[in-house]
Amino acid sequence: MNNQWLEFTKQIKEHYKKDFVPLHEPTFNGKELEYVTDCVQTGWVSSVGSYVTRFEEDLARFTGVKRAVAVMNGTAALHIALKVAGVQPNEEVFMPALTFIATANAISYLGAMPHFVDVSDKTLGLDPQKLEAHILEIGELKNNQLINKESGRIIRAVVPMHTFGHPVDLEELQLVCEKYHLVLVEDAAESLGSYYKGKHTGGFGNVSAVSFNGNKIITTGGGGAILTDDDELANYAKHITTTAKVPHLWEYNHDEIGYNYRLPNINAALGCAQLEQVSHFIEQKRELTAFYGKLVAPIEGVKLFKERENTSSNYWLQTLILDDTLERDEVLAFLNDNGVMSRPIWTPMHYLKPFIECPRADLSTVERLKKKIINIPSTPIKEG
């Protein structure tokens, strides 16, 4: 590694005023302590309380959807989103091979099978054109259902994931779903505050999921939410995430197998304070993108991944794309050895033991990108 890379690490540490810069840390500059203290002092810290309702209402308003249902984490949100969308055991669900394992896990929880498709260089997310080409190769429509001719299983849904906050081509993907009778379930875990043609991600699918893990753009400590414009789906999601308990003053009656996925009030209180600051966090992240753009410009063999036209990214994780002159692991070793925490993109799903035998399309773009993508420190903070 040359002096340009050494200067790169030096400037990042000066920017953050740290000798070691983590990849992403939560930022608590608002009313977090006030709201959490209120929970503790009033005793409303667990599965019921006013902050849960407030967080759901504030989140729905911010994302522009009709309803939000808060749950304990993003994986739980995606699990329930898929369930209320109608995914059944022994069905298949299209998803990108390049994503965090939670996407594939949530499909598997329902006894369904992940079916991996390729991604786009332009979005790093699921490629609608490649998806349709794969459907034409392996699928056939029977009785308004898409069947995998090779496995005989129904293909029920498509789950795009907005990688590092960058929206996929949602309108094109919607057309593919309509054409082949597929349910669109957005994995918007990373894209709170991201927009496609002026509309918030998570608002294009029948239902979607977001995450509020400690490393996300806002956090509830651990948490997630289901987003939808369908009241019936939202009510069902709320019911089964609260153990499917039938409302009654004292009786314990549960009308189906449910899940104890409720977000505690104390976590929701944290989320309310964080959500009040999300626009400011995004502004800071966009400033960080401009800062990194200047740092990266003189370095050969690397570019900073940026939002496309007609999209607005939350820039959750700042992303470098290496060319063939640079070895990913050499760059990672140098950055981490010099106090700048950096990570590669996830291991593609078809390499992981639980999913090796899952059906998949040609994944040539995934195979190339897995060796080229690096995330660098992304905590929102102003320079100086």
Side-chain angles (χ1 to χ4, degrees):
M1 306 300 293
N2 58 32
N3 289 335
Q4 288 179 324
W5 282 102
L6 190 62
E7 180 65 19
F8 180 72
T9 60
K10 177 183 176 183
Q11 290 293 325
I12 293 173
K13 287 187 287 187
E14 288 183 359
H15 176 78
Y16 281 99
K17 297 180 173 58
K18 292 184 177 182
D19 292 328
F20 177 79
V21 185
L23 188 67
H24 199 288
E25 294 180 298
T27 302
F28 301 123
N29 289 331
K31 296 182 179 179
E32 291 88 354
L33 185 59
E34 176 185 338
Y35 293 169
V36 171
T37 300
D38 180 53
C39 287
V40 172
Q41 290 179 338
T42 60
W44 292 100
V45 298
S46 193
S47 57
V48 292
S50 62
Y51 285 106
V52 175
T53 301
R54 174 178 167 182
F55 184 57
E56 291 176 335
E57 292 174 349
D58 289 351
L59 182 61
R61 188 179 306 109
F62 177 78
T63 56
V65 299
K66 193 172 183 180
R67 297 283 299 280
V69 178
V71 292
M72 62 192 294
N73 56 55
T75 307
L78 189 55
H79 173 202
I80 298 304
L82 287 160
K83 181 176 175 63
V84 301
V87 175
Q88 300 291 320
N90 203 38
E91 295 182 340
E92 295 180 13
V93 176
F94 287 129
M95 60 164 285
L98 201 60
T99 183
F100 183 56
I101 194 172
T103 315
N105 281 345
I107 294 167
S108 302
Y109 294 163
L110 294 167
M113 176 76 70
H115 189 141
F116 303 124
V117 294
D118 210 1
V119 300
S120 165
D121 283 295
K122 296 178 181 179
T123 68
L124 305 183
L126 192 148
D127 188 320
Q129 294 182 3
K130 291 181 178 179
L131 172 62
E132 182 165 27
H134 182 58
I135 289 173
L136 291 172
E137 181 181 348
I138 60 94
E140 62 178 345
L141 284 171
K142 290 183 178 180
N143 300 319
N144 292 326
Q145 292 185 324
L146 182 64
I147 308 297
N148 183 341
K149 294 185 293 186
E150 298 176 354
S151 68
R153 288 187 286 260
I154 294 170
I155 306 175
R156 179 66 63 188
V158 179
V159 184
M161 195 276 290
H162 305 298
T163 309
F164 309 136
H166 296 282
V168 302
D169 288 317
L170 283 159
E171 285 185 351
E172 191 173 351
L173 188 55
Q174 281 181 315
L175 292 174
V176 174
C177 289
E178 291 170 6
K179 186 175 181 179
Y180 297 101
H181 303 281
L182 297 166
V183 181
L184 179 58
V185 179
E186 289 181 71
D187 183 349
E190 302 175 358
S191 63
L192 183 71
S194 296
Y195 296 82
Y196 177 85
K197 296 187 177 180
K199 184 176 180 179
H200 197 286
T201 55
F204 290 81
N206 299 60
V207 63
S208 64
V210 290
S211 172
F212 310 113
N213 189 33
N215 66 349
K216 293 300 189 292
I217 191 164
I218 71 166
T219 185
T220 57
I226 300 141
L227 306 179
T228 183
D229 286 324
D230 188 318
D231 279 324
E232 186 176 345
L233 290 186
N235 291 337
Y236 184 47
K238 189 71 172 179
H239 181 60
I240 61 175
T241 57
T242 54
T243 69
K245 185 178 183 295
V246 179
H248 193 277
L249 284 176
W250 58 81
E251 292 283 356
Y252 287 93
N253 185 19
H254 305 259
D255 57 6
E256 65 176 287
I257 294 173
Y259 306 87
N260 191 5
Y261 281 175
R262 294 171 289 193
L263 183 70
N265 197 50
I266 195 168
N267 295 85
L270 188 67
C272 288
Q274 287 271 286
L275 196 55
E276 290 173 350
Q277 304 167 80
V278 64
S279 296
H280 181 56
F281 292 159
I282 293 170
E283 178 186 344
Q284 290 180 317
K285 280 182 172 287
R286 299 184 72 83
E287 291 179 6
L288 184 62
T289 302
F291 169 73
Y292 277 134
K294 294 177 182 178
L295 285 191
V296 168
I299 304 177
E300 294 183 1
V302 61
K303 65 178 181 179
L304 185 69
F305 191 82
K306 293 185 179 180
E307 65 191 12
R308 297 171 303 122
E309 186 179 359
N310 293 322
T311 71
S312 179
S313 175
N314 67 5
Y315 284 106
W316 170 54
L317 286 184
Q318 303 288 335
T319 304
L320 301 182
I321 309 292
L322 310 179
D323 70 13
D324 292 337
T325 66
L326 295 171
E327 289 293 329
R328 185 197 73 177
D329 289 356
E330 289 183 11
V331 176
L332 284 169
F334 180 85
L335 294 175
N336 283 283
D337 288 347
N338 283 275
V340 174
M341 186 175 179
S342 305
R343 290 291 182 266
I345 200 166
W346 316 278
T347 300
M349 295 297 99
H350 61 293
Y351 282 89
L352 300 180
K353 185 177 179 180
F355 306 117
I356 289 174
E357 301 299 325
C358 290
R360 60 179 183 263
D362 173 77
L363 301 174
S364 53
T365 304
V366 169
E367 296 292 349
R368 176 166 44 81
L369 288 177
K370 70 174 183 169
K371 304 174 183 178
K372 302 299 176 185
I373 297 177
I374 287 176
N375 295 126
I376 54 177
S378 304
T379 302
I381 182 173
K382 288 185 179 292
E383 188 175 5

